[in-house]
Amino acid sequence: MRKTIAATALTLSMTAAEAQPVPEAVGQVSPALQNYMTEDLNGRIWTDASLSQRDRSLVTLAALITRHEPEGLPAMAEQALDAGLTAAEISETVTHLAFYTGMGNATAAAEALAPVFAEHGISPEDLPVANPDLLPLDEEADDARATRLDGIYGNVSPGTLENTTNILFRDLWLRPDLAPRDRSLVTVAALIAAGQPEQMTFHLNRAMDNGLTQDEAGAVLAHLAFYAGWPRVFSALPVAKEVFENRQN
């Protein structure tokens, strides 16, 4: 049986690494929603060990950026830092998602996060540089990817394919301050949050190639149901199911 709202008040005092604070306005408008957020989101989802606090913070940042919800980013960034994400990793997440959710969403995220960075004494000099030494490129695999796309879309938009190869896969994805697994993780989270599961197959496979386990991937879906809504997660479930089954065969 669910606890009463009064009985759950203690949960609101959990540390940032354990739960997100529930705004007072939520209880004023919808005590039922406050209870769901306290009991289910904070009380069960955020404390579920199938996905680390750090990864949950990263996935939530990706969802908020994708859904253009900058008002939630400062508190989430504080929680992410407490959970072990570095300022460099948060910075790279914003940069990465500019290409998967749009420059406007990333700009709004930067504006929301700037005061948090300032409060923590994080300056641009502490963050990843524009042109770092890149990680090694798997040229054979990337040539195969580029050739496959060129065969499908080469006569539709050559510029898109050129930028995909040169900017995304031979630059952005090789930046060293966000691990390949984490880049894949935020990309998958963004695709789910944006309601674009048709793009998931490649990126979920890549995430699992980069170290994301099936249990962790399933936990990402359960987590994002609360941030992107059940319909978007259920649209993504068939894609995840197919990826999991194909990898087992």
Side-chain angles (χ1 to χ4, degrees), residues 46-224:
W46 273 95
T47 59
D48 183 352
S50 58
L51 194 67
S52 71
Q53 292 278 323
R54 175 193 178 278
D55 287 350
R56 290 188 185 278
S57 299
L58 189 59
V59 165
T60 308
L61 283 171
L64 294 176
I65 294 170
T66 300
R67 293 172 57 80
H68 200 86
E69 298 176 2
E71 65 279 357
L73 286 171
M76 193 63 248
E78 293 283 0
Q79 179 171 336
L81 291 168
D82 286 343
L85 276 177
T86 67
E89 289 170 330
I90 294 174
S91 173
E92 282 293 302
T93 296
V94 173
T95 301
H96 186 89
L97 291 178
F99 294 90
Y100 285 90
T101 74
M103 295 288 174
N105 284 343
T107 299
E111 290 173 343
L113 292 171
V116 177
F117 279 27
E119 184 177 344
H120 284 265
I122 302 163
S123 70
E125 290 72 26
D126 301 316
L127 301 174
V129 297
N131 296 296
D133 292 332
L134 300 177
L135 298 174
L137 172 69
D138 184 338
E139 293 189 21
E140 182 178 354
D142 194 63
D143 285 343
R145 175 204 58 77
T147 299
R148 179 177 60 83
L149 288 181
D150 187 65
I152 302 172
Y153 303 117
N155 63 347
V156 178
S157 179
T160 297
L161 299 188
E162 180 180 351
N163 290 334
T164 299
T165 293
N166 294 334
I167 298 178
L168 266 64
F169 286 104
R170 298 197 174 186
D171 189 339
L172 180 71
W173 276 88
L174 301 180
R175 292 177 59 84
D177 288 287
L178 191 63
R181 173 190 178 276
D182 294 338
R183 286 195 186 275
S184 293
L185 183 59
V186 299
T187 306
V188 170
L191 293 173
I192 295 170
Q196 296 175 321
E198 64 277 3
Q199 299 290 318
M200 267 183 62
T201 300
F202 173 83
H203 286 291
L204 182 54
N205 269 304
R206 185 169 183 146
M208 297 179 77
D209 288 343
N210 287 331
L212 188 72
T213 69
Q214 181 172 321
D215 286 345
E216 288 172 333
V220 169
L221 288 159
H223 186 95
L224 286 175

